Amino acid sequence: MLTLHHVRGVRPGHAGEPLAGYAVVVDGARIAAIGPYEELRAAHGDRARVREWDGVLTPGRYEPEGAALLEGAYHPDPREAEELGSEPITGEALAALGMTETRWGASARRGVQRLLAAGTTALSGPFTRPAVRTAVQRSGLAEPPGGRPRALTVGGAADFAVFAEDGSCLATVLAGRLVHRRR
């Protein structure tokens, strides 16, 4: 199914001003078109689902410390908030938790959700804990060689984020799937 992402602007790379009035068409896991919204609407509108975002669409954020964030901290389950709080636990407090691979996997999934909510589309490893590596692989987050997410190109992976004027993330898309949307 085609999805037309209508935004205030598209910044195909990591720098420069957004292209005002542009939009992105996604077909499956790939970007099918980037161009002026009116042209893309005319070409694909009758076949595409339209998503409206009040922000700028970019390649997303890169987290160079991804492995450290996910393997060096426990992200508490909301059911543990009263006992452990809601912020990641590190240091001696982490050592006292008696972590198992199952617990590491659950923590990593919650940590990944925090990264997606911040507009992260790529991060760096290497991941040494099997459960954490599995959680990252299943999430769809990329571990690009050389770091940073690739620029948005026609035919390229549909991995991007949409950011509001205040810098907060409105949506994160990985392989064409909407994996985070601010409510």
Side-chain angles (χ1 to χ4, degrees), residues 56-84:
V56 174
L57 192 147
T58 77
R61 291 193 171 125
Y62 167 62
E63 180 50 66
E65 301 296 324
L69 285 171
L70 297 174
E71 292 189 346
Y74 176 69
H75 299 269
D77 186 293
R79 296 170 292 193
E80 301 172 309
E82 191 172 307
E83 176 188 352
L84 301 175

Side-chain angles (χ1 to χ4, degrees), residues 84-103:
L84 301 175
S86 59
E87 293 302 311
I89 297 169
T90 60
E92 290 179 21
L94 174 62
L97 285 178
M99 298 294 288
T100 63
E101 276 300 298
T102 301
R103 202 166 189 189

